[in-house]
Amino acid sequence: MTETRVPIDLRRRPDARLQVSRLAAELFWRDGVSATRGDDIAAAAGIATRTLWRYFRSKEACVEPVLAESGRRFMSVLAAWPLDVSIEDFLEAARIPGPVTYTEDDLHASRMIRLGFDEPVLRSAWLMVCDDAERECARIFGERLGQDATSREVQQIAASVSGAVRVLNDSLSVDFVDRGIKPDGQDVLYALARAVRDGSNGRVGPAL
């Protein structure tokens, strides 16, 4: 059993939900989803179970912040992409040679994504995070195309791009968790650039 730690202050710590999420991911990976109770997650976080339910709708939803943290990197890259630079040139400038470096949050997220293939409730949590990412994509692409984020064209582009990125994350997670494979950074950036280009039929990607 994970040791009880200093209580996480969910009311005052801005990263408190993420801290709880990390603990939940550790417990799910070590003990299994069905064997882990909300009481166990609360105890590991040093909080009352009723407090846990005030901030998370279910035990499986507890892993959503760590899943979102891993995916937020791509959204921040898209948000920082200048209008006068192509997606390929922008990503190439940010590339660090060699294999991708995984953070602890990346490790947690990869494990939860991998578990989701056998645990539908965790898969649902991952898809909820992907749905949020899709809305953020729509906002970013809408601004880039000079259209409202709710327009049908922008929504279709956002769905296609974020769907391709989800499939890429699924594949990378399985490779890493099952086989210990870390992809080359250039290959990942190429796949992201292609997802943006192909998902928008070339509408998003070139410099403006």
Side-chain angles (χ1 to χ4, degrees), residues 135-182:
R135 284 193 288 272
E136 181 64 10
C137 272
R139 184 190 66 78
I140 293 170
F141 293 153
E143 291 177 356
R144 196 166 189 89
L145 294 172
Q147 297 185 32
D148 191 280
T150 60
S151 72
R152 178 177 297 177
E153 180 182 15
V154 171
Q155 292 279 311
Q156 288 176 337
I157 291 173
S160 182
V161 172
S162 47
V165 173
R166 175 184 55 76
V167 170
L168 176 63
N169 273 316
D170 285 348
S171 176
L172 293 177
S173 296
V174 171
D175 283 345
F176 179 58
V177 174
D178 289 358
R179 293 179 281 279
I181 298 173
K182 291 184 178 181

Side-chain angles (χ1 to χ4, degrees), residues 1 39 95-96 113 118 135 138 150 154 158 186 190 193:
M1 187 64 204
D39 291 343
R95 181 174 70 89
I96 298 175
I113 291 170
D118 303 312
R135 284 193 288 272
T150 60
V154 171
Q186 185 169 7
Y190 174 78

Side-chain angles (χ1 to χ4, degrees), residues 153 157 160-161 195-205:
E153 180 182 15
I157 291 173
S160 182
V161 172
V196 171
R197 288 271 190 177
D198 292 353
S200 65
N201 288 323
R203 287 291 312 281
V204 182

Side-chain angles (χ1 to χ4, degrees), residues 2-208:
T2 298
E3 294 180 4
T4 301
R5 311 180 186 193
V6 175
I8 296 174
D9 191 339
L10 283 157
R11 292 179 299 174
R12 294 183 176 85
R13 284 189 60 172
D15 66 339
R17 294 184 79 254
L18 178 58
Q19 294 290 333
V20 173
S21 190
R22 289 165 176 159
L23 294 173
E26 288 177 6
L27 290 169
F28 286 160
W29 183 250
R30 191 192 67 195
D31 300 334
V33 178
S34 60
T36 301
R37 305 168 302 160
D39 291 343
D40 299 323
I41 298 171
I47 60 176
T49 304
R50 64 178 180 278
T51 301
L52 181 75
W53 299 141
R54 194 175 301 140
Y55 291 89
F56 297 94
R57 67 182 181 280
S58 67
K59 69 176 186 179
E60 294 81 20
C62 289
V63 301
E64 289 177 9
V66 81
L67 288 168
E69 188 69 17
S70 181
R72 192 172 290 118
R73 194 175 308 147
F74 179 54
M75 292 300 106
S76 64
V77 167
L78 285 183
W81 173 23
L83 293 176
D84 60 347
V85 179
S86 73
I87 186 65
E88 290 85 1
D89 288 345
F90 177 59
L91 293 178
E92 177 62 27
R95 181 174 70 89
I96 298 175
V100 170
T101 300
Y102 283 101
T103 66
E104 281 297 312
D105 287 338
D106 292 329
L107 173 61
H108 289 318
S110 295
R111 285 174 169 175
M112 294 306 98
I113 291 170
R114 179 63 185 87
L115 273 181
F117 286 102
D118 303 312
E119 298 281 354
V121 286
L122 280 190
R123 187 66 179 174
S124 294
W126 170 226
L127 294 178
M128 287 287 290
V129 169
C130 292
D131 189 57
D132 289 339
E134 183 178 320
R135 284 193 288 272
E136 181 64 10
C137 272
R139 184 190 66 78
I140 293 170
F141 293 153
E143 291 177 356
R144 196 166 189 89
L145 294 172
Q147 297 185 32
D148 191 280
T150 60
S151 72
R152 178 177 297 177
E153 180 182 15
V154 171
Q155 292 279 311
Q156 288 176 337
I157 291 173
S160 182
V161 172
S162 47
V165 173
R166 175 184 55 76
V167 170
L168 176 63
N169 273 316
D170 285 348
S171 176
L172 293 177
S173 296
V174 171
D175 283 345
F176 179 58
V177 174
D178 289 358
R179 293 179 281 279
I181 298 173
K182 291 184 178 181
D184 185 82
Q186 185 169 7
D187 292 340
V188 174
L189 294 180
Y190 174 78
L192 292 174
R194 182 174 179 180
V196 171
R197 288 271 190 177
D198 292 353
S200 65
N201 288 323
R203 287 291 312 281
V204 182
L208 300 182

